Amino acid sequence: MSHKGKNSASSGKGKKPAKSGAESKGEDVLQAVILADSFQDRFKPFTVDKPRCLLPLGNTPLIEYTLEFLAMNGVNEVYLYCGANTDAVEEHINRSRWSTASKSSPFSLIQFIRVADARSAGDVLRDLDTRSLIDGDFILVHGDLVSNMMLDGVLAAHRKRREESAFNIMTCVLRSGGQDAHRTKTNGITPVFVVDNKTQRCLHYDEMSPLGGDHYAMLDPAIPAELSSDFDVRADLIDAQVDICTPEVLALWSESFDYELPRRNFLHGVLKDWELNGKMIYAHIVEDGYAARASNLQMYDAISRDVLGRWTFPFIPENNLSPKSSYHSHPNSVVIEQSACHSSSARLRNSIIGANTSIGAGTTISNCIIGNDCAIGAGVTLTDSFVWNDVSVDEKATITRAILADNAKVGKSAVISSGALLSFGVHVGDDITIAEKTALSTLSPLGKPVTSDASLVGAKGVGAAFHDPEIDELEDTDPARLHQSLIYSMAGFNVSTSSVSTLASEVYSSDGSEPAFGEEPDENAGKESFHADAVHGLLDALRADSGDFDSAKLEFMGLRLANNASDDMMRRAVATAFARRAAELAAGGEHGGPLEPSKAAEAALTARGGALKFVDEVGVGGGESEQVAFILAMQTALREVATTTAGTVLAALMQQLYALDVLEEDGILEWWEDERAVDGDGMAALKDKCRVLVEWLENAEEEDEDSDDDDDDDE
């Protein structure tokens, strides 16, 4: 196929002389592909007139961070797709140090890929496959990536796997985010990776959303049966979509003509069809470094605050990424470009102030990033906001957690409320209040000038409310609905109890609605929902006529992730299910009638392959205190069963778990002394049925001590 014409890459633009005699680039030439058009509208109204990758973050265009990341990891050749904004991005690159015409450029090639009528990332990658430009390993990233991760170890591991088998085609580089809340974890979508603990092979990928009906990932039972039974289900990972690929990845995109999204379609689909395609994808989880995508306004806000917090080092303003800037650090975590000026009475804290910006007397600025050539008047209050370039804010104005784009103006005593977006050239008049989450623009979604709304921006104002009709066309369950504003909120969405539990930061009442004003959130609703679903699933597996326990384990761990279940919640569910199953076998039984309590306990614990290991690792999973908690949970469950053999079944379960090395002698004796074992109706009676077992253990302990004393005497 010819590389010339409308759909071809720019012919030779910015290309340095090729190395003589090199038909194949080889491993010493590392290539990268940047998708600088995300085919999403989550930055509107700002991206109506300007590509996302050129929007400023920390007073530096986003694409600069992506190119810095590739340069620090030794990339030689860059292929860049920018969509309809290619000319603007190409102009920026050609005027920067990245241009291959510049002696300081670390790249031997930057080539712009033009694809007519591309509607998705899949279209771009399929077109790239037809060009045969990629002939070795390449790094696939997006043009809104901010990362300081070093990929040396990842590349080495990827190349080693590729040498072992041509079927090892891709490595996803993921950042461990921990179990706690992390602002660079994407709101609205929880990526779920199932990863083999030994090989780090990625076995399954799925996404969960609070707007979706499914609240846990479904894994093909053939995977644990044929690929691995030792794996982790990870929903704690930060996925900045940094992938190391072989050319075979592009070929797979071409074969899958309907795939559009790199994760939801490609990764999920390739892993799902592993038996057909035989391809293997791996996850490399790093504990150090920073990685995030400014994929929507909320992520832009999060990364900007990480820049303020210096988490993105060395990509921070005082390191002067742009050769023309000269930022310096000052007290109170303030970084100011040397050409900026501020009144001595201005109070600045934890902020970045750009070149040629002036700040008036008595103004307070905290947790903000102010761009170049801005004029901030006297008595202004700026909090948690991002002000881009050439912005004018008149005296006594108040701006809270908002974004003001280039050439915006805010009049005297105006109030810009939380979540407001003022796009390029918007003017807000004196004494005007802009309501929360209001987006203003001088252009329509199609880029045409709009008539100013004087009732909104004032008689002398410029701009009108911006609304993208494409949002109305989104399905009710599309998580993109949650990404349209600067501030993440579930207000106004119909969210089920099961799905909302994936959001650790939100609490809802049992009917799925937000708690009313003054009403305490019902935290027990989610716990009881998890408990009921988990116990039901485990009992179904234990009652099955055949099969092992792997599928039940997968479902249980999926429920745990979806409900953010604690170890105590899991322990209680496991103890309840196995105790109930043993009681069932002892009362009604199978195989012709009731079973003896000892046989019932043995059957409940060992009849299904993998069940005992599950009890040991997930149900008990710890030392004496965890063992006590597990026994108490079994005791409580059997009290609710209320059969005549319940106490004997409890003793039999403890006897079996002790014999099978799941419970220890000290754990059982500690439970015996615990006051909770007799707290509540019926608990004391159940405990008393275990007296013989406890006395036997105590006597055995005394005999061991006597034996030890005799041994000492013999010495």
Side-chain angles (χ1 to χ4, degrees), residues 216-457:
Y216 52 86
M218 299 296 293
L219 188 60
D220 183 355
I223 291 177
E226 300 181 32
L227 295 182
S228 171
S229 59
D230 181 17
F231 55 81
D232 278 339
V233 181
R234 301 290 298 269
D236 63 320
L237 301 172
I238 298 172
D239 180 17
Q241 298 196 19
V242 177
D243 299 329
I244 301 174
C245 311
T246 66
E248 183 65 23
V249 168
L250 297 178
L252 269 179
W253 274 102
S254 293
E255 293 173 10
S256 307
F257 62 89
D258 57 339
Y259 286 174
E260 294 184 352
L261 302 173
R263 288 291 186 261
R264 191 181 305 171
N265 298 147
F266 180 81
L267 182 59
H268 175 84
V270 171
L271 295 177
K272 182 180 179 181
D273 295 336
W274 62 275
E275 290 181 297
L276 296 176
N277 58 50
K279 308 303 182 185
M280 288 173 278
I281 297 174
Y282 293 82
H284 192 107
I285 302 170
V286 299
E287 300 293 334
D288 300 316
Y290 183 89
R293 279 188 60 203
S295 53
N296 55 60
L297 289 167
Q298 296 152 22
M299 289 300 295
Y300 175 90
D301 176 88
I303 298 171
S304 296
R305 302 199 183 286
D306 284 341
V307 171
L308 284 170
R310 308 305 186 266
W311 291 106
T312 58
F313 183 88
F315 306 137
I316 55 178
E318 53 264 51
N319 280 351
N320 296 301
L321 297 183
S322 172
K324 297 180 181 180
S325 63
S326 182
Y327 284 91
H328 299 282
S329 297
H330 295 266
N332 298 322
S333 301
V334 175
V335 179
I336 304 177
E337 214 280 340
Q338 67 174 7
S339 61
C341 63
H342 62 87
S343 169
S344 58
S345 62
R347 295 181 295 277
L348 311 180
R349 185 180 67 83
N350 193 38
S351 296
I352 298 169
I353 311 299
N356 300 312
T357 286
S358 62
I359 300 172
T363 285
T364 299
I365 298 177
S366 60
N367 304 318
C368 293
I369 299 177
I370 312 296
N372 302 326
D373 302 302
C374 294
I376 312 298
V380 170
T381 300
L382 263 165
T383 307
D384 299 328
S385 296
F386 309 110
V387 177
W388 295 352
N389 301 318
D390 295 295
V391 173
S392 172
V393 180
D394 217 331
E395 61 184 45
K396 297 182 181 180
T398 300
I399 301 172
T400 305
R401 200 170 183 186
I403 298 179
L404 279 63
D406 296 1
N407 299 303
K409 292 185 179 181
V410 177
K412 295 179 181 179
S413 302
V415 176
I416 309 300
S417 303
S418 181
L421 308 174
L422 275 61
S423 193
F424 299 94
V426 167
H427 296 180
V428 175
D430 297 347
D431 301 307
I432 295 294
T433 295
I434 301 301
E436 292 185 356
K437 299 184 180 179
T438 299
L440 300 176
S441 177
T442 61
L443 299 175
S444 72
L446 297 178
K448 297 182 179 180
V450 297
T451 302
S452 297
D453 185 350
S455 65
L456 189 61
V457 297

Side-chain angles (χ1 to χ4, degrees), residues 388-662:
W388 295 352
N389 301 318
D390 295 295
V391 173
S392 172
V393 180
D394 217 331
E395 61 184 45
K396 297 182 181 180
T398 300
I399 301 172
T400 305
R401 200 170 183 186
I403 298 179
L404 279 63
D406 296 1
N407 299 303
K409 292 185 179 181
V410 177
K412 295 179 181 179
S413 302
V415 176
I416 309 300
S417 303
S418 181
L421 308 174
L422 275 61
S423 193
F424 299 94
V426 167
H427 296 180
V428 175
D430 297 347
D431 301 307
I432 295 294
T433 295
I434 301 301
E436 292 185 356
K437 299 184 180 179
T438 299
L440 300 176
S441 177
T442 61
L443 299 175
S444 72
L446 297 178
K448 297 182 179 180
V450 297
T451 302
S452 297
D453 185 350
S455 65
L456 189 61
V457 297
K460 297 182 179 180
V462 178
F466 180 89
H467 177 73
D468 187 358
E470 292 185 6
I471 298 176
D472 299 330
E473 298 175 5
L474 295 175
E475 296 182 4
D476 292 341
T477 57
D478 193 330
R481 287 184 171 274
L482 301 171
H483 297 151
Q484 302 301 321
S485 62
L486 179 62
I487 300 175
Y488 179 70
S489 173
M490 294 297 302
F493 290 98
N494 183 20
V495 184
S496 65
T497 303
S498 59
S499 60
V500 79
S501 58
T502 63
L503 297 177
S505 62
E506 302 287 347
V507 287
Y508 292 79
S509 59
S510 58
D511 64 356
S513 62
E514 292 187 82
F517 179 76
E519 175 188 351
E520 290 296 324
D522 185 1
E523 296 181 358
N524 291 325
K527 294 180 180 179
E528 293 306 319
S529 174
F530 165 78
H531 183 77
D533 290 346
V535 171
H536 180 76
L538 292 175
L539 278 173
D540 282 349
L542 292 172
R543 292 165 180 160
D545 293 332
S546 61
D548 58 27
F549 210 69
D550 287 333
S551 297
K553 175 184 175 182
L554 290 174
E555 182 177 351
F556 183 89
M557 298 310 289
L559 281 170
R560 175 230 172 173
L561 287 170
N563 290 273
N564 196 28
S566 65
D567 290 345
D568 286 339
M569 292 167 64
M570 291 193 294
R571 186 174 296 113
R572 177 184 167 220
V574 174
T576 299
F578 280 84
R580 287 185 184 177
R581 180 55 181 161
E584 284 179 0
L585 294 172
E590 295 175 354
H591 310 294
L595 299 180
E596 293 292 330
S598 60
K599 296 293 184 182
E602 181 182 8
L605 294 167
T606 61
R608 296 289 173 263
L612 182 65
K613 182 180 179 182
F614 177 76
V615 172
D616 187 16
E617 296 178 353
V618 180
V620 179
E624 288 183 21
S625 62
E626 289 79 12
Q627 293 176 39
V628 170
F630 187 80
I631 298 172
L632 286 169
M634 289 196 301
Q635 185 183 6
T636 301
L638 288 168
R639 178 189 63 176
E640 296 171 355
V641 170
T643 64
T644 56
T645 60
T648 312
V649 169
L650 177 61
L653 283 167
M654 285 196 287
Q655 170 68 41
Q656 286 291 329
L657 291 170
Y658 174 75
L660 295 167
D661 295 324
V662 175

